[in-house]
Amino acid sequence: SNTLKYFFPKLPVDETVLLFFLTGLFAAFLVWSNGIPRYSLPLLITAALFFGWLTLSTFWTPGRTLALRALGYNLVFNVFCLFAAAVVIAPERRRVERFFACLLAIGVVLSIHGWWIYLEHGTFRFYHGFRDISAYLLWGFPVATASAVALGLAFAAPVGTIRHLIGVVASVLFGSFLLINSARGAMLSYLVCLLVPVLLLLPRVGP
């Protein structure tokens, strides 16, 4: 939601809290109707151990204010994101495909608008219209995440198909935006996403 804050009008409540509440109701309904899939339990148990250790670590940390704030954010929003991925999205292939399509759509919107800002104002990172948010990070990492889907389509889909063309065009768009974005971590993530399928699909030499 912080990534899309630039596109929203100023609301009386934080967008993150609002979207959390709406999606939480939807997730609760699905869990009530379908239960928790058995194959999601290992991930949920592992996450419970990790976040439990995270909670225990606050007892010996020297910092209190930032530690408690980070702990609250992780125990509410990050736990919910992991739970939703394991219990709501993963059980059905259609939901996974829609999730990937949503990632691609967000990446395309951010990249095209980012290019418009760069061409119109000569800079993206220091554009004055971002209302004191680090947009080069908030936009860079979602685009880098969407790049994994785009590069997967570009390398895995049959050549010449619509999915292959979408993957190639989106990969080029995302990579070019990350160059003008100048977020090093996001660009590194893109390069890793590019490198992995190249290594997996390298032609074999010899008999």
Side-chain angles (χ1 to χ4, degrees):
S1 64
N2 287 332
T3 301
L4 302 175
K5 188 183 292 288
Y6 172 79
F7 300 97
F8 291 156
K10 193 169 183 179
L11 300 175
V13 296
D14 187 86
E15 296 89 347
T16 303
V17 176
L18 178 62
L19 293 175
F20 169 75
F21 178 75
L22 295 176
T23 54
L25 290 177
F26 179 71
F29 172 76
L30 288 179
V31 172
W32 178 265
S33 302
N34 305 324
I36 297 177
R38 183 177 301 175
Y39 53 79
S40 298
L41 292 179
L43 177 60
L44 296 178
I45 293 172
T46 304
L49 293 174
F50 173 78
F51 287 108
W53 176 256
L54 185 68
T55 303
L56 288 176
S57 68
T58 59
F59 288 103
W60 58 78
T61 180
R64 289 295 175 188
T65 304
L66 293 180
L68 293 177
R69 180 180 178 183
L71 178 65
Y73 184 90
N74 277 281
L75 292 182
V76 176
F77 298 111
N78 284 350
V79 166
F80 174 72
C81 289
L82 190 147
F83 180 84
V87 177
V88 177
I89 298 176
E92 291 190 15
R93 181 183 179 90
R94 290 180 301 170
R95 294 177 188 170
V96 176
E97 292 175 346
R98 290 169 185 168
F99 176 70
F100 286 160
C102 184
L103 282 180
L104 279 176
I106 291 175
V108 168
V109 170
L110 295 178
S111 298
I112 292 177
H113 197 72
W115 262 109
W116 176 84
I117 291 174
Y118 179 79
L119 295 174
E120 187 73 16
H121 300 276
T123 181
F124 175 83
R125 181 167 182 168
F126 302 106
Y127 172 56
H128 59 80
F130 282 131
R131 297 183 297 190
D132 300 325
I133 63 174
S134 301
Y136 76 102
L137 295 176
L138 291 176
W139 290 27
F141 285 107
V143 171
T145 303
S147 299
V149 181
L151 289 165
L153 287 176
F155 280 99
V159 177
T161 61
I162 296 297
R163 289 191 175 188
H164 176 255
L165 294 176
I166 291 175
V168 171
V169 172
S171 299
V172 173
L173 176 64
F174 297 161
S176 63
F177 167 70
L178 291 175
L179 285 175
I180 64 170
N181 174 283
S182 73
R184 292 170 295 180
M187 191 67 204
L188 180 61
S189 300
Y190 178 87
L191 293 176
V192 170
C193 291
L194 177 63
L195 183 62
V196 169
V198 169
L199 293 177
L200 291 176
L201 298 175
L202 277 176
R204 294 184 179 180
V205 178

